[in-house]
Amino acid sequence: MTLDLSPADLLDRLVGFPTVVGTPNGALMAFVADYLRAHDVPFTLLKGPEGDRYNLFATIGDASVPGYILSGHVDVVPAQEPEWQADPFVMRRVDGRLIGRGCCDMKGYVAAALAAVPALQKMNLSAPVHIALSYDEEAGCRGVPHMLAALPDLCAAPLGCIVGEPTGLVPVLAHKGKAALRLVAAGRAGHSSRPDLGANAIHALLPALLAATTQAKALETGPQDTRFAPPYSSLQIGTIKGGQAINIIPEAAQAEIEARAIAGVDPQALLAPVLDALDDGVRGEWMSTYPALALDADHPLAKVVADISGQTPLGAVSFGTEAGLFQQAGVPSIICGPGDIARAHRPEEYLTQDELGGAVDMILSLGRTLST
């Protein structure tokens, strides 16, 4: 493998792997593994239970000493919007912009971490820098729990984790937690003129859906945290599917409901009234869940990241990340990465050359802070 890859070259290569959430990522992880191997960086590939997706954990320095994790996910959302001006999985360089699916969310941060490897390897680090890459974050952070379960065997208890979601390289101390629930109703088909001979699956969903809307309204006057917008936990019915025709009794129906919880509130608990209202023939299936993040402003990690980024930490963001799961696993965590979340999940997603370079500089600043 060519060792001399610029940050933009690395991002180019990463974008070229169409690692859409829920699909295999082995080819991308093999590329990263080859790159790390070429730089003599030890790493562990952790196969997920799906069998075709992997987490990766690499260490620069002494893994027996507490250090810092740079965490990023390698999955991206689909890129089927017609507004893309070219293949979204072939990165384009236009007027200082690096355009492609995942450039901002969040292969840019991954590329920055990898680009910093050669320089970090040359530093005499008093504490290690770890690179943690995960899968299926976009489906509710499904991949990283498997890596966290293995963490005690991979390194000493970390001092902290920097999750590189796009924040404009401004450290962020908190985000909401989330739980997603699918309701599945089974009925019995028939002619609509004889409802007595069938069982309407859509009707069976209604008590739970009513409970969901009632709970959503109640949360508006529940516990508040003014760091968030809105300042309360929220709940919404996101999708409803069912029925074939107006004159056929629907035999199946589904609804998907999500709850977003302020720090200190269990997102799954917010959906308890929905589960309590399930009618006969309706079952609930948890789709995903992750906790909120809340790092104290005076935590040593907040000071470290403020120093290396040159930015004062921001109280909170409304979107969720894997940081809450790292925190739940006992690893203090903060969010700080290049780009703007407003560009994510949109056609012509991009990161600027300067933003990418800024992320590399921040990571190298961490290395210098740890150098003896």
Side-chain angles (χ1 to χ4, degrees), residues 1 25-35 37 45:
M1 165 176 285
N25 69 358
L28 181 149
M29 288 302 198
F31 164 75
V32 175
D34 286 343
Y35 178 83
R37 196 177 290 115
L45 273 175

Side-chain angles (χ1 to χ4, degrees), residues 128-209:
V129 174
H130 309 286
I131 298 174
L133 306 182
S134 62
Y135 68 89
D136 284 4
E137 186 271 351
E138 298 290 4
C141 303
R142 293 181 180 176
V144 76
H146 306 299
M147 178 161 51
L148 290 173
L151 197 61
D153 297 323
L154 298 172
C155 66
L159 297 171
C161 174
I162 305 171
V163 177
E165 292 283 359
T167 66
L169 291 179
V170 175
V172 174
L173 302 173
H175 68 65
K176 289 185 177 181
K178 177 182 173 180
L181 178 68
R182 179 182 294 116
L183 304 182
V184 180
R188 187 170 60 255
H191 197 284
S192 62
S193 66
R194 292 297 308 271
D196 54 314
L197 299 180
N200 191 306
I202 293 178
H203 290 187
L205 285 179
L206 295 181
L209 297 182

Side-chain angles (χ1 to χ4, degrees), residues 12-346:
D12 189 351
R13 296 291 297 275
L14 293 173
V15 169
F17 297 102
T19 48
V20 174
V21 57
T23 65
N25 69 358
L28 181 149
M29 288 302 198
F31 164 75
V32 175
D34 286 343
Y35 178 83
L36 294 172
R37 196 177 290 115
H39 287 285
D40 297 321
V41 175
F43 64 88
T44 301
L45 273 175
L46 301 157
K47 183 185 287 188
E50 301 83 1
D52 60 2
R53 270 153 274 176
Y54 298 82
N55 294 306
L56 182 147
F57 192 87
T59 297
I60 304 160
D62 186 351
S64 68
V65 176
Y68 292 91
I69 297 174
L70 309 176
S71 172
H73 64 84
V74 299
D75 62 301
V76 299
V77 295
Q80 300 174 343
E81 304 95 335
E83 293 87 355
W84 283 99
Q85 296 178 20
D87 186 340
F89 295 107
V90 176
M91 194 186 81
R92 288 177 285 132
R93 310 182 194 208
V94 181
D95 297 330
R97 293 185 177 186
L98 307 172
I99 304 170
R101 176 57 85 214
C103 280
C104 184
D105 184 13
M106 59 179 297
K107 289 180 175 179
Y109 182 72
V110 175
L114 295 176
V117 163
L120 291 173
Q121 277 285 65
K122 295 176 183 177
M123 296 179 184
N124 187 17
L125 299 176
S126 61
V129 174
H130 309 286
I131 298 174
L133 306 182
S134 62
Y135 68 89
D136 284 4
E137 186 271 351
E138 298 290 4
C141 303
R142 293 181 180 176
V144 76
H146 306 299
M147 178 161 51
L148 290 173
L151 197 61
D153 297 323
L154 298 172
C155 66
L159 297 171
C161 174
I162 305 171
V163 177
E165 292 283 359
T167 66
L169 291 179
V170 175
V172 174
L173 302 173
H175 68 65
K176 289 185 177 181
K178 177 182 173 180
L181 178 68
R182 179 182 294 116
L183 304 182
V184 180
R188 187 170 60 255
H191 197 284
S192 62
S193 66
R194 292 297 308 271
D196 54 314
L197 299 180
N200 191 306
I202 293 178
H203 290 187
L205 285 179
L206 295 181
L209 297 182
L210 176 60
T213 57
T214 301
Q215 172 74 330
K217 189 65 177 177
L219 289 175
E220 294 179 9
T221 55
Q224 308 277 308
D225 187 332
T226 56
R227 293 177 298 175
F228 297 104
Y232 48 83
S233 299
S234 61
L235 186 150
Q236 76 144 5
I237 302 166
T239 70
I240 297 178
K241 302 175 184 177
Q244 302 177 61
I246 194 171
N247 60 349
I248 300 175
I249 299 170
E251 64 178 346
Q254 291 187 12
E256 293 177 345
I257 307 172
E258 72 160 25
R260 293 183 181 265
I262 61 174
V265 175
D266 179 359
Q268 287 190 327
L270 297 177
L271 289 159
V274 178
L275 293 172
D276 291 342
L278 294 186
D279 203 351
D280 291 342
V282 183
R283 70 178 189 275
E285 302 174 346
W286 290 111
M287 299 169 63
S288 64
T289 184
Y290 57 79
L293 168 71
L295 184 73
D296 291 338
D298 59 356
H299 192 282
L301 177 63
K303 183 180 187 310
V304 167
V305 181
D307 288 345
I308 65 174
S309 67
Q311 300 283 349
T312 301
L314 179 69
V317 291
S318 294
F319 62 85
T321 78
E322 296 174 329
L325 287 165
F326 276 95
Q327 178 181 260
Q328 186 180 65
V331 182
S333 299
I334 196 166
I335 315 163
C336 189
D340 185 338
I341 194 65
R343 301 180 209 145
H345 300 195
R346 299 182 61 164

